[in-house]
Amino acid sequence: MQTAPIIIMPPPPAPDRVRFDGKFFRSGTEKFYPKGVTYGPFEPDGDGNTFPTPEEAARDFVLMRRLNANCVRVYHIPPRWMLDLAHEHGLKLLVDFPWPKHTCFLDDPKTMDEVRRATRAAAETLAGHPAVFALVLASEIPPDIARWYGARRIEAFLDELAGIVKTVDRDRLVTFVNFPTTEFLQPASVDFVSFNVYLHDLKPFANYLDRLQSIAGGKPLLLAEIGMDSQREGEEAKCRFLRGHIEVAFRAGLAGVVLFSFTDEWHTGGHAIENWFFGLTDHERNPKPSFHAVAEAFALAPRFPLPICPKVSVVVASYNGGRTLAACLDSLIHLNYPDYEVILVDDGSTDDTAKIAAHYPTVRAVHEPNLGLSAARNTGILASMGEIVAFTDSDCRADEDWLYYLVGDLLKTDACAIGGHNFPPPEDNWIAGVVAVSPGAPAHVMLTDREAEHIPGCNMAFWKWALEAIHGFDPIYRAAGDDVDVCWRLLQHGWKIAFSHAGFVWHYRRNTTGAYLKQQRGYGVAESLLRHKHPEYFNSIGGMRWQGRIYNPLRGTGAFGRFVVYHGVFGSGLFQTMYAPEHVGILALLTSLEWHVLFTLGGILLAFLWPALWPLPTLSFLASIAVAVAAAARVDLPAWQRHRWSRPLVALLYLLQPIVRGWPRYAYRLQRPATPSAARAAVTTFAAQYRRVGSIHTLNFWNEQGTERMAFLQKLMEILERDGWQASADSGWDEFDVTIHGDRFTKVVVHTVCENHGGNKRLLRARLSAHWTLVAKVWFWSAVALVAFFLSLMSRFWWAGDAWLLVVLVTLLLHLRARRTLHLGLGLVDLAAQQTGLSKLG
């Protein structure tokens, strides 16, 4: 006979109502992790009551406390006595209420009105009671019903029901219990995301939880039902299943788990269920072995011990961050992680940063002159003693389990770095709330549900060896861009970056529009530096080219695209998955600096010359306003940060941000530093032999030592880097090998190919072609525009026709510069070939 394990019953939760808190819940000051069981429905009595008697319910609640459960899911609105009884036993209720969701309810106005009335009645019955965890608006809408109406109509109705509940009881949490077959239903107004998932195999289950975390985004994720049938699978297998799935779920950062079910006794569809035994107790409430397995797992949840706990050094770089520094340090000294240190690097602050730091004796403070963010973080790395170095900012407040989830998820992967969400805290003012949903906020970029391309600097951690291998942060990034640069360099080494859905921080946003626009200008400067160092990650107009998807607080990312749903043949798929559309970019295009310059300002200039063109700039500007207003209408503003001016201000920031952020990119490119004269002089001798070349020239090199093109290209890049040439190599996404900038106006693109002539005989061909840079093109088209302007006024200026000479002169100048750059490129290729041991053919 199995010995009953030691039962550790948690203390009753505080009488406070449950509220959501980032990716989790709170009751009072403590986190509340739902560890629940389903209860009923039971056979109705003569009065139609689907609950047991108060005496039977009291006995069941005692057993649930022995189970270490703190939450009960019921499928009908409980009577008042049951709410009070649950509260006495320290249990919270997740309440469903029945309505005919299995019918075509949107076709019948009468049915819709009945559902609205039932929702209001449920909200009124439960209003204010502290024993209620949340109200379920609907559960498992049949997939053919959802397919019949389409996702948007169903979501709109669920959002309407959520609105009804909030008008009755503003603080009542609401959710929609989904399941994999209608994964594409994602109503915006629910407070947390709930799913019923019945996957027996542990690995697919873990993978699917990552998928659901991606769907949930910044909201808590609850498993509203998981379970296994004792009759078909056996009680021993059920014990392993429940113990393993509970642990995997909480390690994955889920907010809670509800097991189906407490007892084998349940009743649905007008009859008792006799051939399914999902209960942890039998019909007579005798605990099964799985009861004790769950009690043990629930006692450990949510923080199952990590396999190892490597020492973590938390580095906070601060420059005049005194306004939020105390909140940051308060959170960091109370983390639920056994082995960590906190290092504050004061980057030459002139405010009260040093005075605040003195109040935290356990925080190691390092004071240095103002050298910028990257230098400060490098100082933190040098001072660190941990195997892992984690970074956050002085305007962040860490969740108490931040390191537990960050390190736990890092240990599960072969990644060298990991990051997580950053959320605006609820105490921010309404302008900070606007800034949080405006473009340009710190965001992660996901390649898969687990791997990231970029993690924001306010929430990231690295194995220390990885930072040392890439020599830390580049000091050139003084205020921003350092996190992007580090991520790209790690990926270029072939390493991975992971993402933790539950390891989050609260990040205070800029609380004035001026501070926000100043921040965006700083981001633009950082992007100009990044483009210079990583041109392969930028398009021709200076925009970043991400391979992954940017996390976006917009409620409808498909505003200008269409989601694609895999339903399965005739809608029969068990996993009907939604795939996001490729980013169309209409919003980014119509609000970009380039759009305003070319179409709005350019249209205004043309309209002064030809008044018939006035509709062009007018329509251009109205299009920009329209997409900005549409974007502002779709953002999901928290209720506590809504103001009558919120959405108009969001629209304004959508208009201003691309201009403010875009201008520094061009300003830097127009002032691109030239290649050092010493570097050009070093190849003058090699370049002098090429007298008559066109815009394209090919060189041929022979060797009989088996030297391949990769050795030549490595030598060429070594020379370029050593001598300070402005150059970039193919990142794997380009159709050329190397780009060499001779000056601000011209560049040379190098292609190579190697022929195998048997044995070790190789013929290397290098084709060089000269091109104009963006600056050159701006010069050229400015000259053309100036000529066009003069020609329009030629009736007043007799010499306007001669202005075409300006275009000719500019073209000639750029042509001569391009030939000079091509000569230099040929000389560089010759030099690299010579040092690689290749012989040039005539």
Side-chain angles (χ1 to χ4, degrees), residues 523-580:
Y523 286 166
V525 172
E527 286 176 357
S528 65
L529 297 173
L530 285 166
R531 187 183 187 280
H532 174 62
K533 186 174 181 180
H534 302 280
E536 63 273 18
Y537 288 101
F538 288 80
N539 58 31
S540 58
I541 62 173
M544 288 188 181
R545 295 192 304 183
W546 298 106
Q547 305 304 318
R549 292 190 177 276
I550 302 175
Y551 174 74
N552 194 337
L554 276 180
R555 183 152 43 94
T557 56
F560 303 106
R562 187 175 66 87
F563 286 110
V564 177
V565 179
Y566 175 75
H567 292 283
V569 178
F570 304 131
S572 61
L574 293 179
F575 290 82
Q576 299 190 11
T577 303
M578 175 183 286
Y579 295 92

Side-chain angles (χ1 to χ4, degrees), residues 402-642:
W402 173 52
L403 284 187
Y404 171 81
Y405 288 112
L406 217 59
V407 174
D409 288 333
L410 182 60
L411 294 175
K412 291 190 295 186
T413 71
D414 57 350
C416 68
I418 194 166
H421 287 282
N422 67 97
F423 302 131
E427 61 265 27
D428 263 350
N429 64 19
W430 72 271
I431 295 180
V434 165
V435 168
V437 296
S438 296
H444 49 276
V445 182
M446 299 299 292
L447 294 168
T448 68
D449 292 328
R450 287 179 172 170
E451 289 186 30
E453 183 180 3
H454 166 251
I455 47 179
C458 59
N459 183 5
M460 58 184 183
F462 305 82
W463 287 107
K464 189 175 180 179
W465 59 260
L467 290 174
E468 292 173 341
I470 62 172
H471 308 294
F473 294 87
D474 190 337
I476 194 174
Y477 304 103
R478 292 185 56 88
D482 58 312
D483 49 357
V484 180
D485 173 64
V486 162
C487 290
W488 282 345
R489 285 192 282 142
L490 292 173
L491 293 174
Q492 287 166 355
H493 275 70
W495 297 330
K496 295 178 181 178
I497 300 172
F499 189 80
S500 172
H501 295 281
F504 72 91
V505 299
W506 298 103
H507 187 191
Y508 293 90
R509 302 310 200 246
R510 300 298 189 270
N511 57 7
T512 66
T513 54
Y516 164 76
L517 293 175
K518 182 180 179 181
Q519 178 195 48
Q520 294 305 308
R521 184 185 179 281
Y523 286 166
V525 172
E527 286 176 357
S528 65
L529 297 173
L530 285 166
R531 187 183 187 280
H532 174 62
K533 186 174 181 180
H534 302 280
E536 63 273 18
Y537 288 101
F538 288 80
N539 58 31
S540 58
I541 62 173
M544 288 188 181
R545 295 192 304 183
W546 298 106
Q547 305 304 318
R549 292 190 177 276
I550 302 175
Y551 174 74
N552 194 337
L554 276 180
R555 183 152 43 94
T557 56
F560 303 106
R562 187 175 66 87
F563 286 110
V564 177
V565 179
Y566 175 75
H567 292 283
V569 178
F570 304 131
S572 61
L574 293 179
F575 290 82
Q576 299 190 11
T577 303
M578 175 183 286
Y579 295 92
E582 289 297 324
H583 184 59
V584 178
I586 293 180
L587 173 62
L589 172 65
L590 297 185
T591 58
S592 66
L593 175 64
E594 296 79 10
W595 176 270
H596 290 301
V597 170
L598 293 176
F599 294 97
T600 306
L601 292 180
I604 290 174
L605 292 176
L606 291 175
F608 275 115
L609 303 178
W610 297 288
L613 295 179
W614 270 112
L616 174 63
T618 304
L619 292 175
S620 171
F621 189 60
L622 289 177
S624 300
I625 294 177
V627 295
V629 170
R634 302 184 72 85
V635 296
D636 192 10
L637 280 164
W640 61 87
Q641 289 180 324
R642 290 174 189 164

Side-chain angles (χ1 to χ4, degrees), residues 353-394:
T353 293
K355 186 177 180 181
I356 294 171
H359 289 86
Y360 296 87
T362 59
V363 174
R364 191 145 49 100
V366 181
H367 303 278
E368 64 179 16
N370 179 234
L371 300 174
L373 178 59
S374 291
R377 284 179 168 165
N378 286 337
T379 298
I381 296 171
L382 291 174
S384 65
M385 295 185 293
E387 295 179 65
I388 296 173
V389 184
F391 297 91
T392 189
D393 293 339
S394 59

Side-chain angles (χ1 to χ4, degrees), residues 160-498:
E160 181 186 352
L161 299 185
I164 292 172
V165 175
K166 297 295 186 178
T167 57
V168 174
D169 191 355
R170 185 187 63 179
D171 297 325
R172 174 64 63 222
L173 298 182
V174 295
T175 190
F176 159 59
V177 177
N178 210 341
F179 66 142
T181 318
T182 55
E183 181 189 293
F184 54 88
L185 291 179
Q186 299 176 14
S189 297
V190 296
D191 295 305
F192 60 96
V193 176
S194 301
F195 266 78
N196 295 339
V197 179
Y198 289 87
L199 285 173
H200 287 185
D201 292 338
L202 207 55
K203 188 173 182 179
F205 176 73
N207 291 339
Y208 192 60
L209 292 187
D210 284 325
R211 165 70 181 167
L212 294 184
Q213 284 282 37
S214 295
I215 291 173
K219 295 180 178 180
L221 173 63
L222 174 76
L223 280 185
E225 280 184 16
I226 64 169
M228 177 178 278
D229 176 28
S230 304
Q231 182 179 17
R232 291 163 178 79
E233 306 293 339
E235 191 63 20
E236 184 178 350
K238 183 177 177 180
C239 290
R240 291 194 303 270
F241 165 83
L242 292 175
R243 188 184 296 113
H245 281 57
I246 291 171
E247 180 174 349
V248 166
F250 280 108
R251 286 191 186 276
L254 269 70
V257 175
V258 178
L259 306 181
F260 186 86
S261 64
F262 171 69
T263 175
D264 286 336
E265 179 192 357
W266 58 294
H267 189 280
T268 187
H271 60 278
I273 305 301
E274 302 290 349
N275 58 343
W276 293 93
F277 298 93
F278 280 81
L280 303 176
T281 64
D282 60 21
H283 286 74
E284 287 72 35
R285 305 304 195 267
N286 297 311
K288 300 180 183 179
S290 54
F291 180 99
H292 305 295
V294 169
E296 290 179 332
F298 274 175
L300 292 172
R303 299 180 191 93
F304 289 86
L306 298 176
I308 58 172
C309 292
K311 185 179 182 67
V312 180
S313 298
V314 179
V315 176
V316 181
S318 178
Y319 174 68
N320 289 342
R323 183 177 70 89
T324 55
L325 182 59
C328 173
L329 298 181
D330 281 337
S331 70
L332 293 179
I333 62 176
H334 294 101
L335 299 178
N336 292 320
Y337 190 79
D339 190 9
Y340 73 99
E341 62 175 349
V342 180
I343 302 170
L344 171 66
V345 182
D346 178 8
D347 185 34
S349 299
T350 58
D351 64 355
D352 58 348
T353 293
K355 186 177 180 181
I356 294 171
H359 289 86
Y360 296 87
T362 59
V363 174
R364 191 145 49 100
V366 181
H367 303 278
E368 64 179 16
N370 179 234
L371 300 174
L373 178 59
S374 291
R377 284 179 168 165
N378 286 337
T379 298
I381 296 171
L382 291 174
S384 65
M385 295 185 293
E387 295 179 65
I388 296 173
V389 184
F391 297 91
T392 189
D393 293 339
S394 59
D395 58 354
C396 290
R397 174 167 54 84
D399 177 72
E400 57 259 51
D401 295 306
W402 173 52
L403 284 187
Y404 171 81
Y405 288 112
L406 217 59
V407 174
D409 288 333
L410 182 60
L411 294 175
K412 291 190 295 186
T413 71
D414 57 350
C416 68
I418 194 166
H421 287 282
N422 67 97
F423 302 131
E427 61 265 27
D428 263 350
N429 64 19
W430 72 271
I431 295 180
V434 165
V435 168
V437 296
S438 296
H444 49 276
V445 182
M446 299 299 292
L447 294 168
T448 68
D449 292 328
R450 287 179 172 170
E451 289 186 30
E453 183 180 3
H454 166 251
I455 47 179
C458 59
N459 183 5
M460 58 184 183
F462 305 82
W463 287 107
K464 189 175 180 179
W465 59 260
L467 290 174
E468 292 173 341
I470 62 172
H471 308 294
F473 294 87
D474 190 337
I476 194 174
Y477 304 103
R478 292 185 56 88
D482 58 312
D483 49 357
V484 180
D485 173 64
V486 162
C487 290
W488 282 345
R489 285 192 282 142
L490 292 173
L491 293 174
Q492 287 166 355
H493 275 70
W495 297 330
K496 295 178 181 178
I497 300 172

